[in-house]
Amino acid sequence: MEIGILSAVLLSAFVAVLMTENYGYGYWMISRPIFAGPLLGLMMGDLQTGLIVGASVELMFMGVLPIGGSVPPNAQIAGLIGTIFAISAGGKPEVGIALALPIGILAQLLIMLAWNFNMYLVHRADNALKELNLKRAGRLHLSGLIVFFTVMFIPTFLAVHFGSDFVKNFVDSMPAWFMDGLKVSAGILPAIGMAMLLKMMNFKKYWSFFLIGFVLAVYLELPVLSIALLGLGIAISISVVMNKGDNRDMSLPSPQRGEMEKAKLTRKDLIITFFRSFFSMTSINYERYGSLGFCYAVMPALKRLYGDDEELKEAIVRHNEFFNCHPYTTNAIIGVTLALEDQRAQGKPITSETISSTKAALMGPLSGIGDSVFKATFMTIFAAIGAGLALGGNPLGPIIFIVPNVLLNIISRYYGLMYGYRFGMNLILKMKDSDILNKFVQGATIVGLMVTGSMIVNFVHVGVAAKWNFAGKEIVLQELLDSILPGLLPLILTLVFLWVLREYKKAIYWLILFCFVVGLAGKFFGVL
């Protein structure tokens, strides 16, 4: 399939717009391979290849998540450009999957470049904030959209325009064993994603649920969705049994009488803050991370609270300090912060140090909850269910992934902000006292481990082709292994990868290389 220059420009612009959402606007998950791959395939007239490449790359990078400030190989751009190359090569998913890793590493470097450039924007915004030129500071913050779009558009265009013919010629010149070896590697690579997921969850304590999920998939052949629902039922049952006799009040705290009547911020002010919070990471950078994004979100509210310019300037500058948190849980901190600012603006004894300390104290736990619950658990479960359907050619797979993630994004931001502002610090203390968060994480871990156990059966494919004659009877090694335990090799491979990842922090690159070597060598020597 030949891609002309105009098509390359439009395609690259579309890819860059999708990619920009990751940091620039909303964090909607629309750039994840499981959703963006089929979308791109639909545009290029090959939905099936888009479904397969998107689902495969999603599984390959499933546990590779940007936790905290880390910038790992980028799954999003790997899935998008991999899909384009696979379709350009004549509908060969293995081409896109094989190129996913180098593309992901390249995108990793580009994102690091954008993070560095954004430091310049933040320093320019510092001066604007000191002059109380809030519109200029806002424009500088939103310039991060242009930065992320540019660093994604240029290399995508170069790859699409100049790389498609090269890829097609390269593929046509490859021997059959090489292409078959890439397919074998593509079947092994998801084991790394599964191992990364297990590493992020409390596998040592809850390993039995992982085993249950594996057994349900391998012997009863239950689909991932059924196992996820079963896991949810088990988690709720355990929570109910554990709560028996525990009469601690788990209801939400009540606001102190009289305080809400005096609140200066209106619902409209909070709604404006809510919409602005979707741009909280637009100018993310290595120096202060999401500081300017936090400041951008609360600017109108602070302007409402402080009529005096000096007080407003002090508050504005205060909220351009270092800030880093998961975007879904950031709004709870914004809500609590605005509650404190409201009290301070009314003359209550709330110092600026108290507000800064509260933000810093909430960053760690709420960031951990966001990473472990929203990224590592919920996104993974929906991705697994969606990928399972997409690999079978079902276009509902991407929809099943994206709808719950979009709802989680909106609901967590909205209620985090509203309850954070209404109940202030009481909300956080109440949640901590009633152990709600720990129970929530425990339930999510149970469901996540059961789903991961089933995913190994469904998504990790490795088999041996060795056979020999013994006493006149042909012995097939794979049949022998299956008689011991179906799915034994994928299980062993995943657990070994888990051990390696725990022992060696930088092992992921070597494991990916190992998968390609095993796949290619196994096919070349006829072992796999």
Side-chain angles (χ1 to χ4, degrees), residues 34-35 225 381-387 389 394-405:
I34 178 61
F35 181 78
L225 179 58
I381 292 172
F382 298 132
I385 296 170
L389 294 173
N394 191 332
L396 285 177
I399 296 172
I400 286 178
F401 167 78
I402 199 65
V403 171
N405 277 295

Side-chain angles (χ1 to χ4, degrees), residues 248-249 428-436:
R248 283 182 296 176
D249 181 17
I428 306 300
L429 294 173
K430 185 71 179 178
M431 292 175 75
K432 185 179 177 183
D433 183 56
S434 61
D435 209 23
I436 292 175

Side-chain angles (χ1 to χ4, degrees), residues 172-382:
D172 290 342
S173 66
M174 288 296 102
W177 68 265
F178 185 85
M179 298 307 296
D180 289 341
L182 289 180
K183 290 179 182 177
V184 174
S185 302
I188 302 173
L189 282 166
I192 300 175
M194 307 298 133
M196 290 288 290
L197 283 175
L198 294 177
K199 184 186 171 191
M200 295 174 67
M201 291 185 271
N202 194 344
F203 182 74
K204 187 175 181 181
K205 182 177 180 180
Y206 296 101
W207 64 269
S208 57
F209 295 99
F210 166 81
L211 181 62
I212 291 172
F214 179 82
V215 169
L216 289 173
V218 79
Y219 285 112
L220 299 183
E221 299 183 355
L222 292 181
V224 174
L225 179 58
S226 302
I227 294 173
L229 293 174
L230 189 59
L232 181 63
I234 293 174
I236 292 173
S237 301
I238 291 175
S239 177
V240 170
V241 171
M242 289 177 67
N243 283 338
K244 195 174 182 181
D246 185 354
N247 296 319
R248 283 182 296 176
D249 181 17
M250 294 177 65
S251 60
L252 287 169
S254 300
Q256 293 179 19
R257 184 173 295 279
E259 286 187 354
M260 289 308 298
E261 286 78 2
K262 295 179 181 176
K264 296 181 71 173
L265 294 181
T266 64
R267 179 177 173 78
K268 183 181 177 183
D269 296 324
L270 295 177
I271 292 294
I272 291 172
T273 305
F274 166 71
F275 282 113
R276 283 186 162 229
S277 73
F278 287 100
F279 299 91
S280 63
M281 296 199 298
T282 303
S283 61
I284 191 167
N285 60 88
Y286 282 114
E287 183 183 338
R288 278 178 271 174
Y289 285 74
S291 63
L292 189 54
F294 189 98
C295 186
Y296 175 79
V298 300
M299 276 179 192
L302 293 179
K303 199 172 178 181
R304 164 82 71 177
L305 290 174
Y306 295 103
D308 180 77
D309 281 354
E310 286 303 314
E311 289 181 341
L312 175 61
K313 187 190 298 182
E314 183 188 341
I316 289 286
V317 172
R318 177 163 60 242
H319 293 298
N320 195 22
E321 298 167 340
F322 177 91
F323 182 81
N324 186 33
C325 188
H326 188 280
Y328 288 11
T329 48
T330 288
N331 280 22
I333 302 178
I334 291 178
V336 172
T337 301
L338 288 180
L340 293 175
E341 290 287 2
D342 197 324
Q343 296 298 301
R344 178 177 167 82
Q346 294 183 54
K348 299 287 175 62
I350 307 289
T351 65
S352 59
E353 289 78 12
T354 301
I355 296 172
S356 296
S357 300
T358 302
K359 278 174 62 181
L362 294 177
M363 262 190 273
L366 289 183
S367 190
I369 291 169
D371 289 334
S372 61
V373 174
F374 291 111
K375 276 185 186 172
T377 304
F378 287 142
M379 191 191 81
T380 298
I381 292 172
F382 298 132

Side-chain angles (χ1 to χ4, degrees), residues 92-109:
K92 291 184 169 62
E94 62 271 19
V95 174
I97 297 167
L99 292 172
L101 177 64
I103 295 170
I105 293 175
L106 173 63
Q108 175 189 22
L109 299 176

Side-chain angles (χ1 to χ4, degrees), residues 79-92:
L80 285 164
I81 298 184
T83 301
I84 294 173
F85 280 164
I87 294 174
S88 302
K92 291 184 169 62

